[in-house]
Amino acid sequence: MRSEEPPRARTHGPAEPNGPAESAGASEPVDPDVTPSDVRRRRKPWHSRRGTPVVVAVVAVGGSLGALARFGASLLWPTPAGAFPWTTLTVNAVGCLAIGVLLVAVTEVFAAHPLLRPFLGTGFLGGFTTFSTYCVDIERLVAADRAGTALGYLLATVAAATAAVAVGARGSRRLLAHRSPS
């Protein structure tokens, strides 16, 4: 199916009564893992409830694999002491690009298994991207009297990560708009 407009998030039923969307007659986007019966009952599905052991296990496994992948990148492309931490910057940008693609895919393209987002998004990509190493890198640069480099790295990482998510999401939507009908 070819469309001129980019795909939109799926919706379930009318917006909440007396809400701002009601006057416009629009529906509010709903998490694709939530069923219409969950919306009517105003409750979260089993996989969204805090502390569900299966979800926690899936996030833990994904996070472990993501952290191992990041560690592997640091072994393949080590950063010398006091040097600009290109590896961490690249890993964070690539991970954010993947997050942008993943979220468009699972919210606008197909109905994903309920554990896919916790495994890939929160787990793997959360473990792969790294705010803690980013902070340690900044601290090490400052300790090595490279405060200007540390500031540049701080700003470059935020800019690269934000741009990567936007490019991943927009790029995915553009590809979807041009895909052939099936």
Side-chain angles (χ1 to χ4, degrees):
M1 171 189 269
R2 188 164 230 163
S3 171
E4 296 301 317
E5 292 183 29
R8 300 195 190 282
R10 288 176 266 179
T11 58
H12 296 292
E16 292 295 318
N18 303 321
E22 183 181 63
S23 60
S27 294
E28 291 293 320
V30 175
D31 183 331
D33 298 332
V34 176
T35 65
S37 65
D38 291 329
V39 172
R40 281 192 301 276
R41 288 189 241 146
R42 295 179 181 228
R43 69 180 189 92
K44 291 184 176 184
W46 68 270
H47 57 275
S48 298
R49 294 187 188 128
R50 178 173 285 178
T52 302
V54 173
V55 176
V56 172
V58 164
V59 170
V61 169
S64 298
L65 294 173
L68 287 171
R70 176 178 23 95
F71 178 68
S74 71
L75 292 177
L76 290 172
W77 192 9
T79 301
F84 190 89
W86 288 106
T87 305
T88 306
L89 176 68
T90 302
V91 162
N92 285 339
V94 167
C96 287
L97 179 77
I99 286 169
V101 171
L102 173 71
L103 290 180
V104 167
V106 301
T107 59
E108 299 176 17
V109 178
F110 63 90
H113 187 280
L115 296 176
L116 182 69
R117 287 193 307 165
F119 175 75
L120 282 179
T122 306
F124 185 83
L125 293 172
F128 183 65
T129 57
T130 170
F131 189 72
S132 57
T133 302
Y134 162 69
C135 291
V136 169
D137 288 342
I138 291 168
E139 182 182 2
R140 286 180 182 160
L141 287 169
V142 169
D145 291 328
R146 308 239 8 238
T149 302
L151 180 61
Y153 172 59
L154 185 147
L155 297 173
T157 298
V158 171
T162 303
V165 169
V167 165
R170 286 187 187 133
S172 296
R173 287 187 184 110
R174 289 189 86 178
L175 285 174
L176 290 171
H178 296 301
R179 71 180 181 185
S180 59
S182 45

